[in-house]
Amino acid sequence: MKRIATSALLCCAAMAWLAATGTVIAAPAATPWSLLPQPAKVSPAGSGSVDIADGAAVSVRGADREQVQSIAERFAQRIADTHALHLRMAASESAHPAITFEVTPAVDVKDDAGYRITINDDGILVAARTPRGAFYGSVTLWQLLTPAGWTRGAPVKVAYGVIDDHPRFAWRALLLDSGRHFQSVAEIKQLIDWMSLNKLNVLLWHLTEDQGWRLEINKYPELTKTGSCREAAGFDSDLTGSADTPYCGFYTQAEAREIVRYAAERFVDVVPEIDLPGHSQAAIAAYPWLGVTGKRPAVWTDWGVSPWLLKPDQKTLQFVDDVLDEVMQLFPSHYISIGGDEADKQQWNASPEVRAQMHKLGLANMDQLQGWFMQQIATHLVERGRTPVGWDDELAAGIALPTSQVVMSWHGDHNERIALAALKQGHDVVMTPQESLYFDHVQSDLPDEWPGPPPAATLREAYDTIVIPKGASTSEAQHVIGVQAGLWTEQMSTFAHDQHAVFPRVAALAELGWSPAGARDWNGFLQRLPAELARYQALGIGYADSAFAPAYQVTAAANGRFRITLSNQVRFGTIRYTTDGSEPNPQSTAYDAPFTLPSNATVRATTFAANGLPLAAPRSQVLDASTLLSRDGSALATCSKQPPSRLQGAKPVQGTRPVYSVDIGNACWLWPNAPLHGVTHVEVTAERIPWRFGDEAKDAVVHGKTGAASAFEIHTETCTGPLLARLPLDNAAQAKGQIRVDANVAMPVGTGMRNLCVFATGDPRDGQWALARMAFSK
């Protein structure tokens, strides 16, 4: 589903790092090592290096030999896979091994996850107190052996010096939502591998949702027999092959144990999340008595917040206890997440039985009833030696949580007021603000940006996440135990999309969670990132290049020429371009100022690191008579002035799946200063997307029809201004995929630049119109 192929380009470039000049920002003081996350302390020697070549010996000594041997062997295999250097495992008494892993409890390092790497005349020594520290040392050593510009199979010079390192936070997490869309066991293992190479140590596994219950529970077989399948609504049918084939998937208990085992070998703790009492429609579909109404809903096919909550009574609590008892048998983690978020109380409020229970318990409102319900569940976990984890929603509603509960703070607004409230109540807190660390969010406003909700969570915004809330006292700050990114999968139906969303933003997350605050530096991060991107490429990770991709601004110039301005999101690297349609290379013209070109030209541009590594795939801009008279939907503003969602369209018979910028519930766009002089005709390319947006239906904007059929209407100046064109849709609304409609233009009095409003008439809940392109012609 990726629209611009980058794999072959970046792979080849990683082999031939050629010199380039003109980086936008100055490099900070550099070390001879390009490491990410930045270690706690680096002490280069200033001269000297160790050569590591094919056949170099790796030995293990000290405590925990069997486990450390396994760590060293996986390190050697990683070097072989990514670098094609073949290291050999040697006996500990081997004379002068090139690399030694040593675990000794007396090693002077901070933290059981800490390590020291010493590079000198004796070779490379990775020393740690525990196997965990040795593992993280092996990750850094892999980076030392894959420096900027490495050539596969060639020896590597590793500069002399010492690296002393340990993590800043104990919780460095990625949340994986398997409820909305399902990932295979092999895919999850691959993600765990990649997480561990970014020194993340917690996978928060979101296993239950309105759209699917994904974990086998022996005592309640209907949870997976019924609750793991939903109707293949919308584009789920593309995944199943037919609208008649349901979208299904769950993990057996054996598979869950295997994932836990695999993660433990890589020092990743799998924390399961059973979301309660909301996000439970699939469970109620399996066992209707769990709900309030007694009716059996379908497993939900919409996205958003469902009103189907678990019934807050003793029978339901027994069900939850039974489920959690099996969960605790599968997951040895000290932590168990019980959710607690987005509990829409409309069914509770409408139930006389629930209202009577609330009054019987002496509670003032339904939020307090949810607090009581969650307290019973938390107590069950605490009594069994586990620590409950939950979202901050109840705190936002003013409800106290059990002090033992870890709070995941996702409401990052208002200067982290909810996180501060949790800290003041004595909770341990994990910072996971949706504004910067929800990796399902779009990464840019580029026209080829992948699907995702707004607002954009850019690479810089992820890196600049506030981990210690302003206003927290020193003692309160000690209760911030870490950071977490969220990979919610409403619009992420494939593992390719998961990779694109996580990488390279996970590098920013890694540095947030691992590196000391004083060691973090945005410019230094950018300088170190190209080497990390080359490692991602060598691992086969399909990462996003959004932060570095060239963006075009094209305006009219004199004599029918075009003025082209180029930029990229992070203002890093050298943008190089061609004007004949050929692919840019490190010798192509470097962009340093806007330039002009005549019509009938094609500009292709990409961004290069200082050593010639392309940081993005080329993007093209065609310059012809239609360039200024047309707009891609992503280049238009929404009428609400809110940032749009990026929604995917139907898969065409040929070509790639389109993605649109849409204000969900309001099919209305603005084109400021459209050049209308001499235009006589307009064509609109659009697609009607199935409505699957749940609770957003209440905010839908209905644009009134002027006839029986829906239409696109184009008005000048305002959305109620003079009608410029009306493009009837007639039977086009029933078509699958893109449609094109056109009409003559009724020119307004006076020509030239005009503000335009274009909208689709009718109710978007009957099908959300998405605008692909609007083009005028003369």
Side-chain angles (χ1 to χ4, degrees), residues 676-751:
L676 298 184
H677 182 70
V679 303
T680 60
H681 199 77
V682 63
E683 181 181 83
V684 167
T685 304
E687 180 175 348
R688 201 174 200 188
I689 295 173
W691 181 270
R692 295 187 67 185
F693 308 110
D695 56 327
E696 296 189 63
K698 62 183 182 299
D699 298 318
V701 176
V702 178
H703 297 278
K705 301 177 182 179
T706 56
S710 294
F712 273 98
E713 292 188 5
I714 305 172
H715 295 256
T716 58
E717 303 311 330
T718 70
C719 295
T720 57
L723 181 67
L724 185 68
R726 185 173 184 275
L727 299 86
L729 294 168
D730 299 326
N731 295 328
Q734 307 306 317
K736 181 178 180 181
Q738 286 190 350
I739 56 97
R740 288 182 175 85
V741 290
D742 58 13
N744 293 325
V745 171
M747 287 305 298
V749 177
T751 56

Side-chain angles (χ1 to χ4, degrees), residues 315-330:
K315 187 177 181 181
T316 300
L317 283 171
Q318 184 60 57
F319 163 83
V320 172
D321 288 350
D322 293 341
V323 167
L324 291 178
D325 287 345
E326 291 196 33
V327 167
M328 285 185 279
Q329 292 174 8
L330 297 172

Side-chain angles (χ1 to χ4, degrees), residues 60-374:
V60 171
R61 67 188 187 209
D64 298 297
R65 286 282 296 278
E66 183 176 348
Q67 190 173 8
V68 179
Q69 180 79 15
S70 178
I71 290 167
E73 288 172 353
R74 287 203 302 273
F75 155 76
Q77 186 61 55
R78 193 180 314 125
I79 292 294
D81 292 342
T82 58
H83 195 317
L85 273 181
H86 297 90
L87 310 180
R88 61 182 178 84
M89 300 304 301
S92 59
E93 57 272 8
S94 173
H96 305 298
I99 297 168
T100 302
F101 288 87
E102 180 177 31
V103 170
T104 305
V107 169
D108 183 20
V109 295
K110 184 176 181 180
D111 195 287
D112 281 349
Y115 63 90
R116 172 178 295 137
I117 296 178
T118 304
I119 309 144
N120 57 27
D121 289 340
D122 295 325
I124 301 175
L125 172 64
V126 180
R129 294 198 324 226
T130 68
R132 182 183 296 271
F135 172 78
Y136 292 130
S138 80
V139 171
T140 299
L141 182 54
W142 169 63
Q143 293 184 356
L144 289 171
L145 297 184
T146 51
W150 92 83
T151 300
R152 279 179 61 87
V156 179
K157 290 185 178 296
V158 183
Y160 283 180
V162 177
I163 298 168
D164 284 292
D165 201 13
H166 60 272
R168 182 185 182 191
F169 293 109
W171 184 293
R172 306 177 304 281
L174 178 68
L175 176 147
L176 177 63
D177 172 12
S178 295
R180 275 77 171 219
H181 280 107
F182 185 80
Q183 306 84 28
S184 70
V185 171
E187 288 167 343
I188 293 175
K189 285 182 173 181
Q190 199 163 40
L191 184 62
I192 289 168
D193 266 331
W194 296 338
M195 284 176 56
S196 70
L197 296 181
N198 283 270
K199 297 186 175 132
L200 303 185
N201 69 333
V202 175
L203 177 69
L204 189 81
W205 198 9
H206 187 77
L207 286 163
T208 66
E209 255 307 334
D210 298 307
Q211 296 87 358
W213 183 285
R214 303 297 179 203
L215 181 65
E216 179 183 38
I217 301 296
N218 291 329
K219 190 168 185 177
Y220 298 99
E222 287 296 324
L223 288 173
T224 48
K225 183 178 179 181
T226 298
S228 69
C229 290
R230 64 174 182 258
E231 177 188 346
F235 304 132
D236 281 351
S237 61
D238 293 343
L239 300 172
T240 65
S242 167
D244 297 326
T245 303
Y247 182 91
C248 301
F250 70 90
Y251 305 96
T252 66
Q253 293 200 356
E255 288 172 331
R257 287 192 180 96
E258 171 59 16
I259 287 171
V260 168
R261 181 204 64 77
Y262 189 87
E265 286 185 348
R266 289 146 183 84
F267 299 92
V268 173
D269 185 21
V270 181
V271 177
E273 177 161 86
I274 308 298
D275 213 342
L276 310 163
H279 295 283
S280 296
Q281 185 167 328
I284 300 170
Y287 295 101
W289 53 265
L290 289 171
V292 168
T293 68
K295 299 178 181 178
R296 184 191 298 272
V299 177
W300 212 26
T301 58
D302 283 356
W303 314 125
V305 179
S306 164
W308 290 84
L309 302 190
L310 297 179
K311 188 177 183 179
D313 64 5
Q314 290 299 329
K315 187 177 181 181
T316 300
L317 283 171
Q318 184 60 57
F319 163 83
V320 172
D321 288 350
D322 293 341
V323 167
L324 291 178
D325 287 345
E326 291 196 33
V327 167
M328 285 185 279
Q329 292 174 8
L330 297 172
F331 297 91
S333 172
H334 183 65
Y335 300 98
I336 305 289
S337 178
I338 54 178
D341 60 309
E342 296 180 324
D344 182 337
K345 310 293 195 310
Q346 59 179 286
Q347 288 187 354
W348 282 11
N349 283 316
S351 167
E353 183 182 357
V354 174
R355 290 201 307 271
Q357 183 188 16
M358 179 186 74
H359 294 308
K360 181 180 179 181
L361 293 169
L363 304 175
N365 53 51
M366 293 299 176
D367 286 329
Q368 289 185 7
L369 181 59
Q370 179 182 344
W372 170 84
F373 183 77
M374 299 302 285

Side-chain angles (χ1 to χ4, degrees), residues 335-499:
Y335 300 98
I336 305 289
S337 178
I338 54 178
D341 60 309
E342 296 180 324
D344 182 337
K345 310 293 195 310
Q346 59 179 286
Q347 288 187 354
W348 282 11
N349 283 316
S351 167
E353 183 182 357
V354 174
R355 290 201 307 271
Q357 183 188 16
M358 179 186 74
H359 294 308
K360 181 180 179 181
L361 293 169
L363 304 175
N365 53 51
M366 293 299 176
D367 286 329
Q368 289 185 7
L369 181 59
Q370 179 182 344
W372 170 84
F373 183 77
M374 299 302 285
Q375 174 73 66
Q376 313 310 304
I377 298 166
T379 299
H380 182 78
L381 293 174
V382 170
E383 288 174 347
R384 285 150 184 80
R386 305 298 182 97
T387 297
V389 179
W391 298 98
D392 66 10
D393 297 60
E394 289 176 83
L395 281 170
I399 306 302
L401 296 170
T403 304
S404 61
Q405 182 164 317
V406 174
V407 173
M408 296 181 291
S409 179
W410 67 281
H411 289 94
D413 55 340
H414 298 96
N415 297 315
E416 301 288 354
R417 65 180 181 87
I418 306 301
L420 282 169
L423 292 170
K424 291 184 185 306
Q425 291 181 20
H427 293 283
D428 284 345
V429 171
V430 173
M431 299 298 292
T432 178
Q434 61 172 331
E435 295 81 0
S436 60
L437 291 182
Y438 270 24
F439 286 175
D440 56 314
H441 282 219
V442 296
Q443 301 182 58
S444 75
D445 58 2
L446 291 169
D448 60 358
E449 178 65 45
W450 287 37
T458 67
L459 181 65
R460 179 67 189 265
E461 286 165 331
Y463 194 83
D464 287 346
T465 298
I466 295 173
V467 183
I468 304 298
K470 295 177 181 177
S473 68
T474 302
S475 60
E476 289 167 351
Q478 298 302 311
H479 284 282
V480 176
I481 63 172
V483 291
Q484 175 177 296
L487 189 62
W488 303 104
T489 60
E490 285 95 334
Q491 298 185 55
M492 302 175 65
S493 57
T494 67
F495 191 54
H497 197 168
D498 296 339
Q499 295 172 59

Side-chain angles (χ1 to χ4, degrees), residues 560 562 579-580 597-603 621-627:
F562 298 90
T579 58
D580 60 0
L597 286 174
S599 186
N600 299 318
T602 297
V603 183
Q621 174 66 58
V622 175
L623 305 174
D624 59 22
S626 69
T627 299

